[in-house]
Amino acid sequence: MFIKQFYLMYADMKGKNIKTILRTDLNEIIKGYSKVINSLIDFSIQIFLDKNTSKYLLGKTLSIENVNRVIQFSQHFYQGLWLHDSFLLQLPGITRDNIDYIVKKLKKEYSASSLINDHETLYKIKSIIENEDQNKLLEITNCLKQINSYKVNCKVFVEFEPGMEDKIIYVGDIFTIRIEIQKNSNSEFIHSKSYPFLKRESLILLIFDEEKQNILHFKRFNDNSLILKDEIREAARYPGNYKLFIVIKSDSYVGTDQEILMEFNVIAKQREMDHHDIHPDDEKALKEETFMKNLVKDALNTNVDS
């Protein structure tokens, strides 16, 4: 039974024609896999974060590459694509029969996010395939309206009270990392040429250290709002210059991942502030040092290894 599932899944993700009699079986297999795939993403990230559990269950720690592969599998699973397939195969009118010709005519690969507002390229794709169907440009345009591109805004600051912020961070401050993701589409369901069921897109927010060896923060967004927000409050216990990578990944689309570098500096002296000025909401950040502790530990390990 497992061998049959494997070959049917492999054939589907490689774009092979599957007989009608087997399509029903394949749909049941896809339905079963889709129920666990999101849990698998969350599980792999949580196992990565918990090194002791990872070693207990797997005999070793997971790598960032392992986590990325799970998310990549999810993206390709919902789009019916194989690992090195072009993201353009997600679009109407583009098939494995004409993809090489289209990519050659375009002269370079595009990401889905860059293509969404690139009308010149859209018309070029249309002109390449117009002999097949005159309506393909409209179909591609409508499809790209469903595929999200993201504008990510991040800032780091110290907030004394609502509306009163300072970009300068001193040792002992409670600082906030605010991340805002603006989407171009709030479509309720994803576009897919192969996935036979309705599916809502999830966005995965990951914060990596400078070396991209550790996940410092993880959040999943399941709603279809146009603006998504997340905040992290942390005690600045150690001076130094810090670099973080903010990464946004879809669980449903290939080629839409976004990554930005964020830097901030913690000054090696304390701000003059009375104890009673500390807000009760900041008590947790003062007691815990998860984010900064991991950052400093990574820096120390890097220095030792070098």
Side-chain angles (χ1 to χ4, degrees):
M1 183 64 182
F2 176 77
I3 295 176
K4 178 182 178 181
Q5 291 180 3
F6 172 80
Y7 277 108
L8 282 176
M9 285 285 294
Y10 176 78
D12 182 56
M13 296 177 77
K14 290 290 285 185
K16 305 296 183 182
N17 291 324
I18 298 175
K19 295 180 179 179
T20 305
I21 192 172
L22 294 174
R23 176 57 65 175
T24 301
D25 292 340
L26 175 61
N27 288 349
E28 287 301 313
I29 294 169
I30 290 174
K31 182 185 292 186
Y33 272 79
S34 64
K35 289 179 179 179
V36 300
I37 200 164
N38 280 345
S39 298
L40 184 60
I41 292 173
D42 294 351
F43 178 75
S44 67
I45 294 173
Q46 294 300 334
I47 287 294
F48 176 88
L49 293 172
D50 189 340
K51 308 294 185 184
N52 292 330
T53 303
S54 176
K55 288 182 179 179
Y56 176 77
L57 294 176
L58 305 174
K60 61 179 182 180
T61 58
L62 285 179
S63 68
I64 290 290
E65 187 61 29
N66 296 138
V67 174
N68 283 331
R69 283 174 179 169
V70 174
I71 300 174
Q72 281 182 337
F73 175 76
S74 174
Q75 296 170 343
H76 288 76
F77 169 81
Y78 286 116
Q79 292 301 322
L81 302 179
W82 203 240
L83 183 59
H84 299 295
D85 285 339
S86 169
F87 94 93
L88 291 171
L89 286 169
Q90 298 172 110
L91 304 180
I94 300 180
T95 67
R96 284 177 170 82
D97 294 328
N98 63 14
I99 182 63
D100 291 338
Y101 177 70
I102 291 172
V103 171
K104 183 178 179 180
K105 285 285 186 180
L106 291 176
K107 297 182 179 179
K108 68 174 182 178
E109 274 279 11
Y110 290 81
S111 68
S113 56
S114 66
L115 188 60
I116 288 172
N117 297 313
D118 190 346
H119 299 289
E120 182 179 346
T121 303
L122 287 177
Y123 277 96
K124 193 169 185 179
I125 293 175
K126 183 258 184 183
S127 67
I128 295 171
I129 64 176
E130 65 181 352
N131 292 331
E132 298 180 24
D133 191 337
Q134 292 286 343
N135 295 319
K136 288 303 179 186
L137 178 64
L138 179 60
E139 290 184 34
I140 291 173
T141 304
N142 289 336
C143 168
L144 287 171
K145 288 179 180 178
Q146 286 184 264
I147 300 177
N148 270 303
S149 65
Y150 320 108
K151 181 179 180 182
V152 184
N153 297 312
C154 303
K155 68 175 182 176
V156 185
F157 58 93
V158 177
E159 184 176 40
F160 302 105
E161 57 185 66
M164 186 178 176
E165 300 174 359
D166 189 351
K167 294 181 180 180
I168 301 175
I169 305 173
Y170 295 91
V171 169
D173 282 345
I174 305 297
F175 68 93
T176 300
I177 298 177
R178 179 175 295 163
I179 302 169
E180 182 178 284
I181 306 166
Q182 296 180 13
K183 305 192 300 183
N184 72 300
S185 170
N186 62 347
S187 297
E188 187 171 4
F189 302 109
I190 68 167
H191 160 83
S192 175
K193 295 192 291 186
S194 66
Y195 188 69
F197 307 105
L198 295 176
K199 163 76 170 72
R200 290 183 172 87
E201 180 185 20
S202 289
L203 289 187
I204 299 163
L205 165 66
L206 296 168
I207 300 182
F208 295 110
D209 63 354
E210 182 179 0
E211 303 299 325
K212 294 186 180 178
Q213 295 300 310
N214 285 285
I215 298 172
L216 304 174
H217 180 72
F218 158 63
K219 181 167 183 173
R220 178 190 288 275
F221 298 96
N222 292 310
D223 64 272
N224 66 335
S225 304
L226 286 173
I227 297 179
L228 305 172
K229 296 181 179 180
D230 191 24
E231 281 194 0
I232 306 155
R233 297 176 71 82
E234 189 75 29
R237 297 179 181 272
Y238 311 101
N241 185 56
Y242 298 96
K243 295 181 180 180
L244 305 173
F245 282 97
I246 313 296
V247 178
I248 310 296
K249 291 178 177 286
S250 168
D251 73 335
S252 307
Y253 291 114
V254 177
T256 63
D257 294 358
Q258 295 285 316
E259 177 183 295
I260 62 172
L261 174 65
M262 182 178 69
E263 299 184 55
F264 63 95
N265 186 54
V266 177
I267 298 175
K269 66 176 182 178
Q270 291 191 330
R271 187 188 300 273
E272 295 182 5
M273 179 183 290
D274 295 333
H275 180 71
H276 61 76
D277 289 329
I278 299 174
H279 194 278
D281 292 343
D282 294 333
E283 289 183 3
K284 182 179 179 181
L286 282 171
K287 293 177 181 178
E288 299 179 0
E289 46 178 332
T290 53
F291 201 100
M292 292 294 289
K293 183 178 180 180
N294 285 329
L295 274 176
V296 173
K297 181 174 64 176
D298 297 338
L300 290 174
N301 289 338
T302 301
N303 291 334
V304 170
D305 294 340
S306 60

